[in-house]
């Protein structure tokens, strides 16, 4: 049947074809696609090995979370805020400073942050350390509600662009891509467009505000996080018409690289 082909040659030929006839377990695993939703509702797709890596990362996050919770239990809920003593006529009163430069245990805190803030603590830690809490404390408590009511129904070029971009912001997300999610995102973006007319609304802010909504959980906290990012953290004019701040950052990065 095989002519003069020796048994040894036949065996080598069959062995060469073996990986094709029976792919390895690793090859089959690599082709197995898994879909699931992450912590913030986004659909993640990858093979089994990718999922295993993600599970390892999750376990490290849980371990780091236990360190944060231990500090919360031993030092109090706001241990990362430096107690500041103020002298008053009736005695000494302790106040919590919201200044980043006055953080207690700053070395410990920086190390913890660089290793990762547990998702459940991110809203509080981000809000406190970013300066959003301090910025919010400078205005009346009803500022955000009053702002959203005052601008409700007003039409500007910014509001028209926001309405155009809402359906295009993370389409398919189980909450953001719903009437409720669109309404919350619109209130945050429209409110800020009236707060800072120089920025107004620039395409790209919808994604920033949407992610802040998912992390911070409340509209008002997301609004103040957006405000502190644009007004205090990022380079000026990152989200104005000419995007000059973005060009500055990219040029600095290019020079450093």
């Amino acid at each position: 049947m095989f002519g003069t082909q020796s048994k040894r040659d036949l065996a080598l030929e069959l062995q060469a074809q073996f990986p094709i006839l029976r792919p390895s377990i690793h090859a089959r695993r690599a082709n197995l696609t898994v879909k699931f939703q992450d912590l913030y509702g986004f659909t993640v797709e990858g093979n089994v090995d990718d999922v295993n890596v993600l599970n390892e990362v999750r376990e490290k996050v849980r371990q780091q979370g236990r360190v944060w919770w231990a500090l919360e239990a031993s030092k109090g809920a706001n241990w990362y805020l430096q107690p500041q003593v103020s002298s008053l006529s009736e005695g000494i009163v302790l106040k919590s400073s919201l200044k980043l430069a006055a953080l207690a245990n700053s070395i410990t805190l920086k190390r913890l942050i660089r290793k990762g803030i547990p998702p459940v603590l991110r809203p509080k830690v981000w809000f406190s350390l970013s300066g959003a809490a301090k910025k919010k404390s400078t205005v009346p408590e009803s500022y955000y509600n009053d702002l959203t009511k005052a601008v409700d129904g007003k039409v500007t070029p910014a509001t028209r662009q926001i309405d155009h971009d809402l359906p295009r912001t993370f389409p398919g997300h189980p909450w953001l891509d719903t009437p409720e999610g669109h309404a919350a995102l619109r209130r945050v973006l429209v409110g800020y467009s009236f707060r800072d007319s120089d920025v107004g609304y620039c395409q790209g802010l919808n994604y920033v505000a949407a992610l802040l909504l998912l992390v911070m959980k409340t509209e008002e906290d997301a609004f103040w996080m957006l405000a502190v990012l644009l007004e205090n953290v990022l380079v000026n004019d990152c989200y104005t018409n000419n995007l000059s701040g973005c060009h500055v950052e990219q040029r600095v990065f290019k020079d450093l690289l």
Side-chain angles (χ1 to χ4, degrees):
M1 179 176 178
F2 297 101
T4 59
Q5 188 176 25
S6 67
K7 292 183 179 180
R8 182 175 178 276
D9 293 338
L10 179 61
L12 290 173
E13 182 179 340
L14 291 174
Q15 185 177 1
Q17 296 177 5
F18 189 78
I20 301 175
L21 298 175
R22 293 184 59 189
S24 68
I25 293 176
H26 293 292
R28 292 198 299 271
R29 282 163 56 91
N31 293 326
L32 182 60
T33 301
V34 179
K35 289 185 178 181
F36 60 95
Q37 284 190 344
D38 69 5
L39 177 68
Y40 298 111
F42 293 102
T43 299
V44 179
E45 182 176 331
N47 60 39
V48 174
D49 292 331
D50 293 335
V51 174
N52 289 336
V53 171
L54 287 174
N55 286 335
E56 291 177 5
V57 172
R58 285 176 176 173
E59 180 56 33
K60 290 181 180 178
V61 170
R62 281 193 288 267
Q63 292 174 3
Q64 189 62 22
R66 286 192 280 270
V67 178
W68 278 88
W69 287 120
L71 287 167
E72 290 267 289
S74 63
K75 296 186 178 183
N78 294 319
W79 64 271
Y80 42 84
L81 298 180
Q82 170 68 50
Q84 181 177 337
V85 179
S86 299
S87 297
L88 298 180
S89 57
E90 52 267 19
I92 302 297
V93 177
L94 289 178
K95 294 184 178 180
S96 291
S97 169
L98 298 174
K99 294 182 180 179
L100 183 60
L103 290 174
N105 306 297
S106 58
I107 296 177
T108 301
L109 183 61
K110 287 179 181 178
R111 287 175 179 171
L112 285 168
I113 290 173
R114 286 166 182 163
K115 290 180 179 180
I117 303 171
V120 70
L121 288 176
R122 285 173 193 167
K124 182 168 66 173
V125 175
W126 285 17
F127 199 69
S128 297
L129 301 188
S130 66
K134 180 182 178 182
K135 185 173 287 290
K136 180 183 176 182
S137 69
T138 63
V139 298
E141 191 69 27
S142 61
Y143 177 92
Y144 179 71
N145 289 332
D146 293 342
L147 177 63
T148 55
K149 290 177 182 177
V151 303
D152 186 34
K154 293 187 176 181
V155 178
T156 66
T159 63
R160 285 193 290 267
Q161 186 61 54
I162 290 169
D163 290 335
H164 185 66
D165 287 346
L166 287 176
R168 302 190 298 184
T169 308
F170 299 122
H173 189 277
W175 181 74
L176 286 172
D177 196 14
T178 64
E180 181 186 358
H182 287 173
L185 180 57
R186 187 183 191 279
R187 284 190 290 269
V188 172
L189 291 172
V190 170
Y192 192 80
S193 74
F194 281 90
R195 171 182 169 86
D196 189 342
S197 58
D198 291 334
V199 172
Y201 172 74
C202 177
Q203 285 183 304
L205 282 180
N206 52 325
Y207 294 103
V208 177
L211 289 172
L212 290 174
L213 273 172
L214 293 177
V215 175
M216 304 306 293
K217 308 302 183 186
T218 70
E219 284 180 38
E220 188 171 6
D221 286 355
F223 172 84
W224 287 112
M225 282 295 297
L226 183 65
V228 81
L229 280 173
L230 296 178
E231 297 167 15
N232 300 95
V233 177
L234 296 177
V235 175
N236 290 338
D237 298 328
C238 270
Y239 284 97
T240 50
N241 289 334
N242 60 14
L243 302 175
S244 62
C246 290
H247 291 295
V248 170
E249 288 193 329
Q250 290 170 20
R251 177 59 187 272
V252 171
F253 176 72
K254 178 182 177 182
D255 290 346
L256 290 173
L257 185 61

